[in-house]
Amino acid sequence: MDSSDFTESMLDQLPMERFWDIPLYQWDGFWYRSYHLQATMALRSQYIARDDDIILASPMKTGTTWLKALCFSILQKEENAARLNEETLAKTEKDDPRHLRDPLVDNHPAVYVQTLEVQVFTAKPPPDVSAMESPRLFHTHLPYTALPDSIKTSNCKLVYITRNPKDTLVSMWHFFNKLRTPEQGPYPFEQAFGSFINGVSHFGPFFDHVLQYWNQSLKSPNKILFLKYEDLKKDTKGEVKKLASFLGKPFNNEKEVEDVIWRCSLERLKNLEVNKNGIDPWVGMQNSAFFRSGIVGDWKNIMSKELSERLDQITMQKLKDSGLHLEI
């Protein structure tokens, strides 16, 4: 299939499987919804990377929204500091000046860091991203091999985040269940498990996706920063400092670090009015669906011991000799 041209009739040439009753099409070894694939083709033919672009990448349900908020806030921190200097000190927590004129209060992080194949290039016509001011900050769920060549060959930076596969699957299960009616009830978890281990999920196979970016990060550590959700939870301050340094925006003091961590905390974001009651216009889901528990090991509440051990074995087999360790 020519990456510069895509029509619906071309879908007939591709393998199709269903995930949550959603048809996914396999192209170049990975699975896509039809409109994501169409947007991917437009992205590959039209997107010209700049050396100061920042591209966030992730499989689905591995900490994407948190990473978007963190990177956006890190790039905004000088502006945030200037805003704080203009405000009088708050007398109550409700009037905390950190809330004042914080863009995250007004919109979900996905408004500020848009996903290229889900938001940007699904627009008809796509926006003129070449007119955007630098540095441009985008996100993608695409595997590394599907990225435009200019992203791979330019000096732009990529930040990748992944998560242990059991929590990824359980988070995905909760997320897609939001699309089901009360009459339908939750999608059978065993069926979701079967699709996941067979690689059939949005932008899957999961392990192929992770290993592509992992291997590239080993080859080009100055270009690709590889993060794990569990590390970010365990040592938030250390990982956020590492992230800011990689982005060329190191913190000047501990207060700056703490401010960014506070702004982007799950508890704060999930309780903002825009995320409690807002709707994602691109996916048609409530913003609250993007903020659930964020707990490492939440899979234990859903997954049986038998399925857990089976996925552990698959994980060890897939990652064998890669040098990559994901918690099991």
Side-chain angles (χ1 to χ4, degrees):
M1 186 187 301
D2 186 346
S3 64
S4 65
D5 187 26
F6 179 89
T7 62
E8 289 294 325
S9 63
M10 292 181 180
L11 291 176
D12 295 336
Q13 306 171 26
L14 301 177
M16 190 276 281
E17 296 281 352
R18 289 189 176 273
F19 178 79
W20 253 268
D21 297 325
I22 299 168
L24 299 182
Y25 298 87
Q26 188 183 49
W27 175 72
D28 199 26
F30 289 84
W31 295 92
Y32 302 81
R33 292 181 76 157
S34 59
Y35 69 96
H36 291 158
L37 185 54
Q38 186 170 7
T40 298
M41 298 306 164
L43 165 66
R44 284 165 57 88
S45 65
Q46 298 173 30
Y47 187 86
I48 305 298
R50 300 175 188 163
D51 287 341
D52 59 357
D53 280 353
I54 298 167
I55 309 294
L56 314 182
S58 63
M60 286 195 72
K61 310 313 298 175
T62 60
T64 301
T65 302
W66 193 14
L67 183 63
K68 286 183 176 184
L70 284 169
C71 290
F72 174 73
S73 295
I74 288 169
L75 295 181
Q76 291 279 311
K77 63 186 173 67
E78 288 93 348
E79 191 173 332
N80 290 337
R83 287 174 183 149
L84 285 177
N85 289 334
E86 294 173 3
E87 305 294 344
T88 56
L89 292 176
K91 294 181 180 179
T92 67
E93 184 177 346
K94 182 179 178 182
D95 297 324
D96 190 329
R98 293 178 299 181
H99 284 294
L100 300 174
R101 287 181 282 169
D102 175 7
L104 293 177
V105 172
D106 300 322
N107 290 295
H108 186 282
V111 172
Y112 304 114
V113 188
Q114 296 193 5
T115 299
L116 289 165
E117 70 284 352
V118 177
Q119 296 162 289
V120 181
F121 282 89
T122 54
K124 297 186 182 302
D128 181 10
V129 295
S130 67
M132 292 178 62
E133 291 184 7
S134 292
R136 300 181 300 184
L137 176 61
F138 290 114
H139 167 261
T140 184
H141 284 306
L142 294 180
Y144 183 82
T145 48
L147 296 176
D149 288 340
S150 64
I151 290 179
K152 301 173 190 174
T153 58
S154 70
N155 290 324
C156 76
K157 293 191 172 184
L158 291 99
V159 180
Y160 185 81
I161 190 167
T162 191
R163 189 180 192 181
N164 80 75
K166 290 188 283 193
D167 277 335
T168 298
L169 171 57
V170 167
S171 180
M172 195 181 296
W173 182 75
H174 282 290
F175 182 77
F176 282 106
N177 278 335
K178 298 285 187 183
L179 296 173
R180 294 172 68 84
T181 65
E183 293 73 26
Q184 290 176 312
Y187 190 77
F189 184 78
E190 290 74 14
Q191 290 186 37
F193 182 92
S195 294
F196 186 79
I197 63 172
N198 288 324
V200 182
S201 61
H202 290 64
F203 309 102
F206 172 80
F207 292 104
D208 293 357
H209 198 289
V210 171
L211 285 171
Q212 281 194 358
Y213 281 93
W214 169 250
N215 290 329
Q216 289 300 321
S217 74
L218 296 179
K219 295 176 185 176
S220 307
N222 294 325
K223 181 177 178 66
I224 303 178
L225 177 64
F226 191 97
L227 299 175
K228 300 177 193 175
Y229 182 84
E230 293 79 10
D231 292 343
L232 200 52
K233 289 284 287 187
K234 191 182 304 180
D235 179 20
T236 305
K237 185 175 286 188
E239 292 295 292
V240 169
K241 284 182 177 180
K242 179 168 71 175
L243 175 59
S245 294
F246 180 79
L247 297 178
K249 297 286 185 179
F251 294 102
N252 296 310
N253 51 62
E254 291 298 302
K255 187 176 181 301
E256 283 189 353
V257 189
E258 291 164 2
D259 180 62
V260 165
I261 291 172
W262 172 82
R263 282 179 192 282
C264 304
S265 66
L266 175 64
E267 274 310 304
R268 187 213 179 208
L269 291 178
K270 74 189 298 184
N271 286 302
L272 291 175
E273 190 65 26
V274 67
N275 295 325
K276 287 197 291 185
N277 299 308
I279 301 289
D280 181 324
W282 295 279
V283 184
M285 295 180 73
Q286 292 184 337
N287 286 343
S288 60
F290 294 86
F291 306 94
R292 202 175 58 83
S293 72
I295 296 171
V296 175
D298 186 51
W299 60 267
K300 295 173 185 175
N301 296 314
I302 298 294
M303 195 177 296
S304 69
K305 182 180 178 182
E306 179 185 358
L307 294 183
S308 168
E309 290 176 349
R310 188 176 173 192
L311 187 47
D312 287 348
Q313 289 297 320
I314 293 170
T315 301
M316 289 187 287
Q317 179 185 353
K318 293 288 187 180
L319 301 184
K320 184 180 179 182
D321 299 326
S322 69
L324 175 62
H325 172 74
L326 297 178
E327 290 193 16
I328 59 176

